[in-house]
Amino acid sequence: MAGQSLADDDGYAEYRDRFEPLPALPPIPSDNSLTKEKIELGKMLFFEPRISSSGVISCATCHNPALGWADRIPQAVGHQGQVGKRNTPTVLNSGFLDSQFWDGREDDLEGQALGPIEDAIEMAMDLDEAIEQLESFEAYTERFDEAFPGQDDPVNEENVAKALASFQRTLNTPNSPFDRYLRGDTEAMSEQQKRGMAAFVDNGCIACHSGPALTDGQFHRFELPDGPTDEGRYVITGDESDKYAFRTPGLRNVGVTYPYFHNGMVDDLGEAINIMAEQMLGSELDDDTVEDIEQFLHAMTGEMPDISFPALP
Protein backbone atom coordinates (compact mmCIF):
# COMPACT_ATOMS: atom_id res chain seq x y z
CA MET A 1 0.00 0.00 0.00
CA ALA A 2 1.25 3.50 -0.81
CA GLY A 3 0.46 4.87 2.65
CA GLN A 4 2.33 1.99 4.26
CA SER A 5 5.48 2.63 2.24
CA LEU A 6 5.34 6.33 3.07
CA ALA A 7 5.10 5.55 6.77
CA ASP A 8 8.05 3.19 6.47
CA ASP A 9 10.13 6.01 5.02
CA ASP A 10 10.07 8.18 8.13
CA GLY A 11 12.39 5.87 10.05
CA TYR A 12 9.94 4.90 12.80
CA ALA A 13 8.23 1.88 11.25
CA GLU A 14 9.50 -0.55 13.90
CA TYR A 15 7.87 1.60 16.57
CA ARG A 16 4.69 2.39 14.66
CA ASP A 17 4.08 -1.31 14.11
CA ARG A 18 3.89 -1.89 17.88
CA PHE A 19 0.61 0.05 18.03
CA GLU A 20 -2.86 -0.23 16.53
CA PRO A 21 -5.37 2.47 15.62
CA LEU A 22 -8.69 2.88 17.36
CA PRO A 23 -11.50 1.00 15.59
CA ALA A 24 -14.71 2.85 14.75
CA LEU A 25 -16.66 0.99 17.44
CA PRO A 26 -15.79 -1.22 20.42
CA PRO A 27 -16.99 -4.84 20.62
CA ILE A 28 -20.79 -5.08 20.83
CA PRO A 29 -22.18 -7.80 23.16
CA SER A 30 -24.49 -10.35 21.58
CA ASP A 31 -27.25 -9.64 24.10
CA ASN A 32 -27.24 -5.87 23.61
CA SER A 33 -27.23 -4.98 19.94
CA LEU A 34 -26.42 -1.38 19.15
CA THR A 35 -29.52 0.39 17.80
CA LYS A 36 -30.41 4.02 17.21
CA GLU A 37 -33.33 3.74 19.64
CA LYS A 38 -31.16 2.42 22.48
CA ILE A 39 -28.49 5.03 21.86
CA GLU A 40 -30.99 7.90 21.95
CA LEU A 41 -32.64 6.55 25.09
CA GLY A 42 -29.23 6.04 26.71
CA LYS A 43 -28.29 9.62 25.93
CA MET A 44 -31.44 10.89 27.65
CA LEU A 45 -30.72 8.76 30.70
CA PHE A 46 -27.09 9.90 30.77
CA PHE A 47 -28.20 13.53 31.11
CA GLU A 48 -31.23 12.81 33.32
CA PRO A 49 -30.84 14.32 36.84
CA ARG A 50 -34.19 13.08 38.14
CA ILE A 51 -32.83 9.58 38.70
CA SER A 52 -30.78 11.02 41.55
CA SER A 53 -32.09 11.72 45.05
CA SER A 54 -31.34 15.42 44.78
CA GLY A 55 -32.81 15.75 41.32
CA VAL A 56 -29.76 17.69 40.15
CA ILE A 57 -27.04 15.06 39.55
CA SER A 58 -26.79 13.02 36.37
CA CYS A 59 -24.11 10.83 34.83
CA ALA A 60 -23.03 13.93 32.90
CA THR A 61 -22.36 15.80 36.14
CA CYS A 62 -19.13 13.86 36.66
CA HIS A 63 -18.69 12.89 33.01
CA ASN A 64 -18.96 16.37 31.54
CA PRO A 65 -18.67 16.55 27.72
CA ALA A 66 -16.89 19.91 28.05
CA LEU A 67 -14.22 18.43 30.35
CA GLY A 68 -13.08 15.38 28.40
CA TRP A 69 -16.18 13.51 29.65
CA ALA A 70 -14.71 13.57 33.16
CA ASP A 71 -14.76 16.35 35.80
CA ARG A 72 -11.16 17.60 36.18
CA ILE A 73 -11.20 17.54 39.96
CA PRO A 74 -9.19 15.12 42.13
CA GLN A 75 -12.17 13.13 43.43
CA ALA A 76 -15.78 13.27 42.30
CA VAL A 77 -18.30 15.36 44.23
CA GLY A 78 -21.74 13.79 44.50
CA HIS A 79 -24.89 13.71 46.60
CA GLN A 80 -25.09 16.58 49.12
CA GLY A 81 -21.52 17.59 48.33
CA GLN A 82 -19.96 14.31 49.42
CA VAL A 83 -16.49 13.70 48.01
CA GLY A 84 -15.57 10.24 46.76
CA LYS A 85 -12.16 8.71 47.31
CA ARG A 86 -11.27 8.15 43.65
CA ASN A 87 -10.79 10.22 40.55
CA THR A 88 -13.54 10.12 37.91
CA PRO A 89 -12.34 8.20 34.84
CA THR A 90 -13.44 9.48 31.46
CA VAL A 91 -16.13 7.49 29.67
CA LEU A 92 -14.48 8.18 26.32
CA ASN A 93 -13.58 4.90 24.59
CA SER A 94 -14.75 3.02 27.68
CA GLY A 95 -16.29 0.31 25.52
CA PHE A 96 -12.79 -0.83 24.61
CA LEU A 97 -11.91 -1.63 28.24
CA ASP A 98 -11.87 -5.18 29.58
CA SER A 99 -13.28 -4.04 32.94
CA GLN A 100 -14.80 -0.95 34.48
CA PHE A 101 -13.92 1.21 37.51
CA TRP A 102 -10.42 1.61 38.92
CA ASP A 103 -10.76 -1.69 40.78
CA GLY A 104 -12.36 -3.59 37.88
CA ARG A 105 -15.39 -4.58 39.92
CA GLU A 106 -17.58 -4.75 36.81
CA ASP A 107 -16.74 -6.55 33.60
CA ASP A 108 -18.59 -4.33 31.16
CA LEU A 109 -20.55 -1.13 30.63
CA GLU A 110 -23.85 -2.84 31.39
CA GLY A 111 -22.53 -3.83 34.80
CA GLN A 112 -21.09 -0.39 35.42
CA ALA A 113 -24.15 1.63 34.44
CA LEU A 114 -26.37 1.24 37.50
CA GLY A 115 -23.76 1.51 40.24
CA PRO A 116 -23.48 5.32 40.31
CA ILE A 117 -27.28 5.73 40.46
CA GLU A 118 -27.61 3.85 43.74
CA ASP A 119 -24.23 4.72 45.25
CA ALA A 120 -24.78 6.77 48.42
CA ILE A 121 -21.97 9.19 47.57
CA GLU A 122 -22.88 9.65 43.91
CA MET A 123 -26.55 9.84 42.84
CA ALA A 124 -27.94 8.10 45.96
CA MET A 125 -31.22 6.83 44.53
CA ASP A 126 -32.78 3.42 45.05
CA LEU A 127 -33.11 1.69 41.70
CA ASP A 128 -36.78 0.91 42.24
CA GLU A 129 -37.41 4.60 42.84
CA ALA A 130 -35.45 5.49 39.71
CA ILE A 131 -37.61 3.13 37.66
CA GLU A 132 -40.78 4.61 39.15
CA GLN A 133 -39.53 8.07 38.28
CA LEU A 134 -38.94 7.11 34.66
CA GLU A 135 -42.30 5.35 34.40
CA SER A 136 -44.04 8.56 35.47
CA PHE A 137 -43.09 10.19 32.15
CA GLU A 138 -44.99 9.07 29.08
CA ALA A 139 -42.09 10.15 26.88
CA TYR A 140 -39.82 7.66 28.64
CA THR A 141 -42.28 4.76 28.45
CA GLU A 142 -42.56 5.42 24.73
CA ARG A 143 -38.79 5.53 24.32
CA PHE A 144 -38.35 2.26 26.20
CA ASP A 145 -41.04 0.63 24.05
CA GLU A 146 -39.18 1.74 20.92
CA ALA A 147 -35.78 0.65 22.19
CA PHE A 148 -36.94 -2.72 23.53
CA PRO A 149 -39.89 -3.74 21.35
CA GLY A 150 -42.04 -6.72 22.26
CA GLN A 151 -41.40 -6.57 25.99
CA ASP A 152 -44.37 -6.37 28.36
CA ASP A 153 -42.62 -4.09 30.85
CA PRO A 154 -39.55 -2.57 29.17
CA VAL A 155 -38.91 0.13 31.80
CA ASN A 156 -36.68 -1.93 34.06
CA GLU A 157 -33.19 -1.94 35.54
CA GLU A 158 -31.69 -4.24 32.91
CA ASN A 159 -32.89 -2.05 30.07
CA VAL A 160 -31.70 1.13 31.76
CA ALA A 161 -28.24 -0.47 31.95
CA LYS A 162 -28.38 -1.63 28.33
CA ALA A 163 -29.45 1.79 27.04
CA LEU A 164 -26.76 3.64 29.01
CA ALA A 165 -24.13 1.15 27.85
CA SER A 166 -25.23 1.54 24.24
CA PHE A 167 -24.86 5.30 24.39
CA GLN A 168 -21.46 5.06 26.04
CA ARG A 169 -20.22 2.71 23.30
CA THR A 170 -20.66 5.58 20.85
CA LEU A 171 -18.44 7.95 22.86
CA ASN A 172 -15.28 7.22 20.93
CA THR A 173 -12.54 9.55 19.74
CA PRO A 174 -11.25 8.56 16.30
CA ASN A 175 -8.92 10.34 13.93
CA SER A 176 -6.35 11.56 16.42
CA PRO A 177 -2.96 12.59 14.98
CA PHE A 178 -1.69 9.27 16.35
CA ASP A 179 -4.38 7.28 14.50
CA ARG A 180 -3.82 9.17 11.27
CA TYR A 181 -0.12 8.46 11.59
CA LEU A 182 -0.71 4.76 12.20
CA ARG A 183 -2.83 4.66 9.05
CA GLY A 184 -0.01 6.06 6.93
CA ASP A 185 -0.03 9.86 7.22
CA THR A 186 3.58 10.56 8.18
CA GLU A 187 2.87 14.27 8.64
CA ALA A 188 0.13 13.71 11.23
CA MET A 189 2.66 13.62 14.10
CA SER A 190 5.58 15.96 14.62
CA GLU A 191 9.15 14.75 14.79
CA GLN A 192 9.11 15.30 18.55
CA GLN A 193 5.98 13.20 18.90
CA LYS A 194 7.63 10.43 16.89
CA ARG A 195 10.67 10.59 19.17
CA GLY A 196 8.26 10.33 22.07
CA MET A 197 6.70 7.24 20.51
CA ALA A 198 10.14 5.65 20.24
CA ALA A 199 10.98 6.59 23.84
CA PHE A 200 7.60 5.23 24.98
CA VAL A 201 8.54 1.85 23.49
CA ASP A 202 12.23 1.84 24.38
CA ASN A 203 11.60 2.69 28.03
CA GLY A 204 8.98 -0.04 28.48
CA CYS A 205 5.80 2.05 28.78
CA ILE A 206 4.21 -0.09 26.09
CA ALA A 207 4.40 -3.16 28.34
CA CYS A 208 1.25 -1.97 30.14
CA HIS A 209 -0.09 0.61 27.70
CA SER A 210 -0.87 -1.33 24.54
CA GLY A 211 -3.82 -2.20 22.33
CA PRO A 212 -6.30 0.26 20.78
CA ALA A 213 -7.10 1.93 24.14
CA LEU A 214 -3.44 1.92 25.27
CA THR A 215 -4.09 -0.31 28.28
CA ASP A 216 -3.37 -3.96 29.00
CA GLY A 217 -6.56 -4.20 31.08
CA GLN A 218 -4.56 -5.64 33.98
CA PHE A 219 -4.17 -4.55 37.60
CA HIS A 220 -0.85 -3.37 38.93
CA ARG A 221 0.29 -2.39 42.41
CA PHE A 222 0.65 1.36 42.55
CA GLU A 223 0.98 3.43 45.72
CA LEU A 224 1.02 7.15 45.15
CA PRO A 225 3.64 9.11 47.13
CA ASP A 226 2.04 11.04 49.98
CA GLY A 227 -1.40 9.98 48.77
CA PRO A 228 -4.29 8.62 50.85
CA THR A 229 -4.34 4.89 51.46
CA ASP A 230 -6.56 3.03 49.01
CA GLU A 231 -6.29 -0.75 48.86
CA GLY A 232 -7.61 -0.87 45.32
CA ARG A 233 -8.64 -4.19 43.82
CA TYR A 234 -7.98 -5.95 47.12
CA VAL A 235 -11.28 -4.50 48.41
CA ILE A 236 -13.06 -6.49 45.67
CA THR A 237 -11.11 -9.76 45.61
CA GLY A 238 -9.62 -10.09 49.10
CA ASP A 239 -6.51 -11.43 47.39
CA GLU A 240 -3.36 -10.12 49.08
CA SER A 241 -1.64 -9.82 45.70
CA ASP A 242 -4.30 -7.30 44.67
CA LYS A 243 -3.59 -4.89 47.53
CA TYR A 244 -2.96 -1.39 46.16
CA ALA A 245 -3.51 -2.68 42.61
CA PHE A 246 -5.48 -0.62 40.08
CA ARG A 247 -6.53 -1.10 36.49
CA THR A 248 -4.09 0.32 33.97
CA PRO A 249 -5.75 3.48 32.67
CA GLY A 250 -6.04 3.95 28.93
CA LEU A 251 -4.01 6.81 27.45
CA ARG A 252 -6.42 7.97 24.79
CA ASN A 253 -7.14 11.71 25.32
CA VAL A 254 -4.89 11.73 28.37
CA GLY A 255 -3.91 15.30 27.58
CA VAL A 256 -7.45 16.52 28.33
CA THR A 257 -8.53 14.13 31.09
CA TYR A 258 -6.39 15.37 33.97
CA PRO A 259 -5.91 15.13 36.92
CA TYR A 260 -4.23 11.75 36.93
CA PHE A 261 -4.14 8.50 38.88
CA HIS A 262 -6.81 6.91 41.03
CA ASN A 263 -6.97 9.79 43.50
CA GLY A 264 -6.35 12.61 41.05
CA MET A 265 -3.32 13.89 42.93
CA VAL A 266 -1.36 15.03 39.85
CA ASP A 267 -2.46 17.73 37.41
CA ASP A 268 0.66 17.87 35.26
CA LEU A 269 1.17 15.23 32.57
CA GLY A 270 4.95 15.50 32.69
CA GLU A 271 4.94 14.89 36.43
CA ALA A 272 2.66 11.88 35.92
CA ILE A 273 5.12 10.46 33.38
CA ASN A 274 7.98 10.87 35.84
CA ILE A 275 6.05 9.15 38.64
CA MET A 276 5.13 6.23 36.39
CA ALA A 277 8.72 5.82 35.21
CA GLU A 278 10.00 5.78 38.78
CA GLN A 279 7.36 3.50 40.28
CA MET A 280 6.52 1.13 37.45
CA LEU A 281 9.75 1.04 35.46
CA GLY A 282 12.29 1.77 38.17
CA SER A 283 13.95 4.39 36.01
CA GLU A 284 14.53 8.12 35.96
CA LEU A 285 13.90 9.84 32.64
CA ASP A 286 15.74 12.97 31.57
CA ASP A 287 13.75 16.13 30.91
CA ASP A 288 13.98 15.87 27.12
CA THR A 289 12.64 12.31 27.13
CA VAL A 290 9.74 13.28 29.39
CA GLU A 291 8.87 16.18 27.10
CA ASP A 292 9.02 13.94 24.02
CA ILE A 293 6.74 11.34 25.62
CA GLU A 294 4.36 14.06 26.79
CA GLN A 295 4.04 15.42 23.27
CA PHE A 296 3.49 11.90 21.96
CA LEU A 297 0.64 11.45 24.45
CA HIS A 298 -0.94 14.69 23.26
CA ALA A 299 -1.05 13.16 19.78
CA MET A 300 -3.59 10.67 21.18
CA THR A 301 -6.27 13.34 21.61
CA GLY A 302 -8.94 12.42 19.09
CA GLU A 303 -12.09 14.01 17.73
CA MET A 304 -14.61 14.45 20.53
CA PRO A 305 -18.11 12.99 20.08
CA ASP A 306 -20.49 15.46 18.48
CA ILE A 307 -23.34 15.14 20.97
CA SER A 308 -26.36 17.44 21.13
CA PHE A 309 -27.95 17.78 24.55
CA PRO A 310 -31.25 15.90 24.63
CA ALA A 311 -34.58 17.55 25.34
CA LEU A 312 -35.78 15.78 28.49
CA PRO A 313 -39.49 15.34 29.31
Side-chain angles (χ1 to χ4, degrees):
M1 294 174 59
Q4 186 81 9
S5 62
L6 284 173
D8 288 342
D9 289 342
D10 73 351
Y12 290 93
E14 64 177 299
Y15 296 105
R16 185 201 70 239
D17 291 344
R18 300 287 299 275
F19 299 95
E20 54 186 296
L22 190 74
L25 285 172
I28 310 300
S30 60
D31 63 347
N32 190 19
S33 58
L34 197 64
T35 67
K36 178 181 178 180
E37 292 78 11
K38 286 182 195 173
I39 294 168
E40 288 302 311
L41 173 58
K43 180 168 71 170
M44 293 175 69
L45 297 173
F46 193 87
F47 288 92
E48 177 56 78
R50 289 166 294 186
I51 52 175
S52 69
S53 287
S54 64
V56 297
I57 297 176
S58 70
C59 301
T61 300
C62 292
H63 300 287
N64 189 325
L67 303 176
W69 294 79
D71 55 18
R72 291 189 184 162
I73 55 178
Q75 293 95 37
V77 176
H79 183 62
Q80 296 182 336
Q82 296 178 89
V83 179
K85 69 177 182 178
R86 291 177 182 164
N87 177 251
T88 301
T90 180
V91 294
L92 293 172
N93 307 304
S94 55
F96 291 97
L97 302 178
D98 294 329
S99 63
Q100 303 293 322
F101 298 109
W102 281 102
D103 53 24
R105 61 185 180 273
E106 294 292 347
D107 293 333
D108 52 31
L109 289 172
E110 284 79 4
Q112 176 274 335
L114 300 179
I117 297 175
E118 57 185 342
D119 187 277
I121 294 179
E122 298 183 60
M123 297 168 73
M125 189 170 220
D126 182 84
L127 288 176
D128 288 338
E129 292 180 31
I131 296 301
E132 289 178 10
Q133 181 75 291
L134 295 173
E135 287 179 325
S136 69
F137 295 99
E138 183 178 354
Y140 272 123
T141 60
E142 291 175 354
R143 291 280 189 166
F144 274 91
D145 282 334
E146 293 168 357
F148 302 96
Q151 295 186 14
D152 293 335
D153 185 19
V155 187
N156 58 55
E157 295 176 13
E158 180 181 1
N159 288 344
V160 168
K162 285 184 174 182
L164 281 168
S166 294
F167 172 62
Q168 290 181 66
R169 287 195 176 95
T170 69
L171 302 179
N172 306 312
T173 56
N175 208 35
S176 69
F178 180 54
D179 289 304
R180 298 199 304 274
Y181 175 74
L182 292 180
R183 292 190 168 101
D185 180 1
T186 55
E187 303 301 317
M189 292 206 308
S190 69
E191 183 65 24
Q192 184 180 26
Q193 288 172 331
K194 294 175 188 178
R195 290 200 309 268
M197 174 180 65
F200 187 90
V201 173
D202 289 342
N203 285 282
C205 308
I206 197 172
C208 294
H209 295 285
S210 58
L214 279 300
T215 171
D216 61 1
Q218 301 301 306
F219 301 86
H220 302 279
R221 184 183 179 94
F222 184 61
E223 293 183 72
L224 286 165
D226 302 319
T229 300
D230 184 337
E231 293 183 325
R233 188 159 172 77
Y234 172 77
V235 176
I236 306 302
T237 67
D239 189 331
E240 194 68 24
S241 66
D242 284 331
K243 189 168 284 189
Y244 308 115
F246 298 87
R247 176 176 53 79
T248 304
L251 296 181
R252 294 275 175 182
N253 310 295
V254 69
V256 298
T257 54
Y258 54 87
Y260 305 112
F261 307 130
H262 57 269
N263 71 349
M265 70 165 289
V266 176
D267 287 319
D268 183 75
L269 184 54
E271 182 182 352
I273 292 168
N274 271 321
I275 290 173
M276 290 300 295
E278 292 169 3
Q279 286 216 21
M280 306 306 293
L281 303 175
S283 62
E284 185 172 338
L285 304 178
D286 61 64
D287 291 344
D288 288 342
T289 299
V290 171
E291 177 63 24
D292 288 349
I293 292 176
E294 182 175 355
Q295 291 306 310
F296 169 55
L297 295 181
H298 279 296
M300 296 180 186
T301 302
E303 295 177 355
M304 294 294 128
D306 184 13
I307 300 296
S308 60
F309 286 78
L312 301 177

